[in-house]
């Protein structure tokens, strides 16, 4: 039993904070067959991700994400946050079986989460001065 | 476990087609746009933010094609902004580019709030057309690139073969489907998500809603003059229906034809 880094399609940078914090820990990417079916991905996107993964020190698998991760019997799963609703759903399912550490992705701008999102113009008024 | 010992793109294409037969049945082509950090860094190194500010609306303008890399976190928005600042003498010259990066951040923040609701109308449509008159499915002639409109058919062919479209082409295509063909925006959004390398339910669906006017004060549409200008005539020049296509006319004339 050891830790496992879970890579998902929103965090494929080589500067992944999970690699930085756990340099010796193996990582796994699972092509999510439910997401691929639901969004009707064609081979183009799969190939793009696969090519990206070949440059990373990751094992690659396909199938049901939660099952594949738990099948490795990790003591803990480390990953990077995502706003994809599937991500929260999978983290909840994993947490029933194992400890999960979610590291923050690098923010574009450090602005409060409760910024007004009614229209882009409102958001922009708030963040523009922080960006330049 | 999947293999990692692949030696060529041809081998990769046939290996992945065997591993993902359903995806391959939908479309088995592989994009010339390469995945990976090295390709991402080369694209990032090549950006020209100040020229971008002037010509990004033109199909041959200095858009960056960073979207598949940013979408998958291979590059971060912050990294793109910082590199842009190193390429200009005054940060102000990168303002347009940074604003576009902010659009992605904005859509992502909304996604965190909305989740799967990005598939539902955010607001009532402003077109005056009753919602039930929009067709639920993608018309066969559109998805098969056989509308006879050279611009639209070219967008579909490019999308299917590369997984990328210029922002303006995405806007024209979306406006064509929703307003000129009266198809529900969700059908178009699904078609895009299926083929785009940068396919993202937030940026994609909310942009479709912006065009449709379910997330904007008014619908987005265009006329032929606009398309001809920003494409520098590349499609209209060879179009058999040039001068009598659906997009002919002033904005006032088209508005009267399309909306109520
Ligand atoms: C109908 C429609 C569907 C779209 N679907 C998607 C999608 O699924 N995924 C996606 O990433 N973008 C989507 N966009 C937004 C935009 O068209 C693309 O991000 C852009 O064209 C990508 O090309 P580029 O990298 O050359 O962009 P550039 O103009 O060079 O911009 C640099 C980066 O800024 C971001 N960006 C630029 N414009 C926008 C925008 N309007 N909204 C959000 N982010 C932006 C992207 O990350 C892009 O890579 C859509 C737009 C429309 C009108």
């Amino acid at each position: 039993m050891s830790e496992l880094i879970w890579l998902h399609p929103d965090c494929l940078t080589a500067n992944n904070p999970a690699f930085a914090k756990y340099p010796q820990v193996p990582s796994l990417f699972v092509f999510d067959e439910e997401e691929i079916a639901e969004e009707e991905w064609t081979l183009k996107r799969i190939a793009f991700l696969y090519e990206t993964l070949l440059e990373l020190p990751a094992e690659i698998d396909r199938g049901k994400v939660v099952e594949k991760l738990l099948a490795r019997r990790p003591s803990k799963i480390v990953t990077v946050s995502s706003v994809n609703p599937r991500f929260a759903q999978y983290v909840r399912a994993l947490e029933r079986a194992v400890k999960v550490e979610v590291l923050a992705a690098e923010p574009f701008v450090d602005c409060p989460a409760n910024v007004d999102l009614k229209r882009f113009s409102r958001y922009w008024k708030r963040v523009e001065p922080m960006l330049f | 476990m999947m293999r990692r010992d692949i030696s060529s793109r041809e081998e990769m294409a046939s290996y992945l087609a065997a591993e993902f037969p359903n995806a391959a049945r939908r479309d088995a082509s592989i994009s010339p746009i390469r995945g990976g950090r090295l390709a991402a860094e080369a694209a990032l190194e090549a950006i020209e933010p100040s020229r971008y500010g002037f010509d990004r609306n033109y199909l041959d303008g200095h858009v960056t094609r960073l979207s598949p890399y940013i979408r998958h976190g291979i590059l971060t928005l912050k990294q793109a902004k910082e590199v842009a600042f190193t390429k200009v003498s005054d940060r102000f010259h990168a303002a347009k580019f940074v604003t576009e990066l902010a659009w992605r951040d904005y859509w992502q923040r909304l996604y965190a709030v909305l989740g799967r609701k990005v598939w539902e109308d955010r607001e009532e449509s402003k077109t005056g057309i009753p919602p039930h008159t929009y067709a639920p499915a993608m018309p066969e002639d559109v998805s098969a690139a056989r509308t006879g409109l050279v611009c639209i058919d070219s967008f579909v062919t490019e999308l299917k073969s590369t997984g990328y479209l210029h922002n303006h082409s995405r806007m024209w295509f979306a406006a064509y489907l929703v307003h000129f063909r009266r198809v529900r925006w969700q059908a178009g959004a699904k078609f895009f998500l299926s083929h785009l390398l940068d396919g993202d339910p937030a940026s994609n669906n909310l942009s479709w809603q912006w065009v449709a006017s379910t997330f904007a004060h008014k619908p987005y549409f265009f006329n032929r003059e606009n398309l001809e200008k920003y494409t520098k005539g590349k499609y209209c020049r060879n179009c058999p229906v040039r001068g009598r296509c659906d997009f002919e006319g002033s904005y006032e004339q088209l508005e009267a034809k399309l909306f109520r």
Side-chain angles (χ1 to χ4, degrees), chain A residues 7 14 22 27 51 64 68 85 110 117:
Chain A
L7 293 181
Y22 297 92
S27 56
E51 220 164 18
K64 290 205 161 103
K68 290 284 182 176
D110 289 304
L117 299 173

Short mmCIF file of all heavy atoms in Angstrom, two decimals, chain A residues 7 14 22 27 51 64 68 85 110 117:
data_model
loop_
_atom_site.label_atom_id
_atom_site.label_comp_id
_atom_site.label_asym_id
_atom_site.label_seq_id
_atom_site.Cartn_x
_atom_site.Cartn_y
_atom_site.Cartn_z
N LEU A 7 -4.05 11.48 -12.05
CA LEU A 7 -4.03 12.52 -13.08
C LEU A 7 -5.36 12.46 -13.83
O LEU A 7 -5.83 11.37 -14.17
CB LEU A 7 -2.91 12.25 -14.08
CG LEU A 7 -1.48 12.37 -13.57
CD1 LEU A 7 -0.52 12.08 -14.72
CD2 LEU A 7 -1.22 13.76 -13.00
N ALA A 14 3.37 19.30 -16.56
CA ALA A 14 4.52 18.65 -15.93
C ALA A 14 4.85 19.32 -14.61
O ALA A 14 5.55 18.76 -13.77
CB ALA A 14 5.72 18.70 -16.88
N TYR A 22 4.96 15.15 -4.13
CA TYR A 22 5.22 13.70 -3.98
C TYR A 22 6.06 13.18 -5.14
O TYR A 22 5.58 12.40 -5.97
CB TYR A 22 3.89 12.93 -3.91
CG TYR A 22 3.04 13.29 -2.72
CD1 TYR A 22 2.07 14.29 -2.80
CD2 TYR A 22 3.21 12.64 -1.50
CE1 TYR A 22 1.28 14.63 -1.70
CE2 TYR A 22 2.43 12.97 -0.39
CZ TYR A 22 1.47 13.96 -0.49
OH TYR A 22 0.71 14.29 0.59
N SER A 27 1.97 7.62 -10.66
CA SER A 27 0.74 8.30 -11.04
C SER A 27 -0.03 7.49 -12.07
O SER A 27 0.55 6.72 -12.85
CB SER A 27 1.05 9.71 -11.55
OG SER A 27 1.96 9.65 -12.61
N GLU A 51 -0.99 11.29 -26.35
CA GLU A 51 0.32 11.83 -26.73
C GLU A 51 0.90 12.68 -25.59
O GLU A 51 2.10 12.68 -25.33
CB GLU A 51 0.14 12.70 -27.98
CG GLU A 51 1.21 12.56 -29.00
CD GLU A 51 0.80 13.14 -30.35
OE1 GLU A 51 -0.15 13.94 -30.44
OE2 GLU A 51 1.45 12.78 -31.33
N LYS A 64 -13.66 2.61 -15.76
CA LYS A 64 -14.34 3.40 -14.73
C LYS A 64 -13.30 3.98 -13.79
O LYS A 64 -12.53 3.23 -13.16
CB LYS A 64 -15.32 2.52 -13.96
CG LYS A 64 -16.52 2.09 -14.80
CD LYS A 64 -17.69 1.77 -13.89
CE LYS A 64 -19.00 1.81 -14.64
NZ LYS A 64 -19.51 0.48 -14.98
N LYS A 68 -10.84 1.87 -11.13
CA LYS A 68 -9.45 1.67 -11.54
C LYS A 68 -8.48 2.21 -10.51
O LYS A 68 -7.43 1.63 -10.25
CB LYS A 68 -9.19 2.34 -12.90
CG LYS A 68 -9.87 1.64 -14.05
CD LYS A 68 -9.14 0.36 -14.42
CE LYS A 68 -9.81 -0.31 -15.62
NZ LYS A 68 -9.08 -1.51 -16.06
N PRO A 85 -17.92 18.81 -12.80
CA PRO A 85 -18.77 18.17 -11.78
C PRO A 85 -18.44 16.70 -11.55
O PRO A 85 -18.67 16.17 -10.46
CB PRO A 85 -20.20 18.36 -12.31
CG PRO A 85 -20.07 18.85 -13.71
CD PRO A 85 -18.71 19.43 -13.89
N ASP A 110 -5.84 35.95 -8.19
CA ASP A 110 -6.24 35.71 -6.80
C ASP A 110 -7.41 36.59 -6.44
O ASP A 110 -7.25 37.60 -5.77
CB ASP A 110 -5.08 36.02 -5.85
CG ASP A 110 -4.01 34.97 -5.98
OD1 ASP A 110 -4.34 33.78 -5.81
OD2 ASP A 110 -2.85 35.33 -6.29
N LEU A 117 -20.62 37.04 -10.89
CA LEU A 117 -20.45 36.38 -12.19
C LEU A 117 -21.65 36.58 -13.11
O LEU A 117 -21.78 35.90 -14.11
CB LEU A 117 -20.21 34.88 -11.98
CG LEU A 117 -18.97 34.48 -11.19
CD1 LEU A 117 -18.97 32.98 -10.93
CD2 LEU A 117 -17.69 34.89 -11.90
#
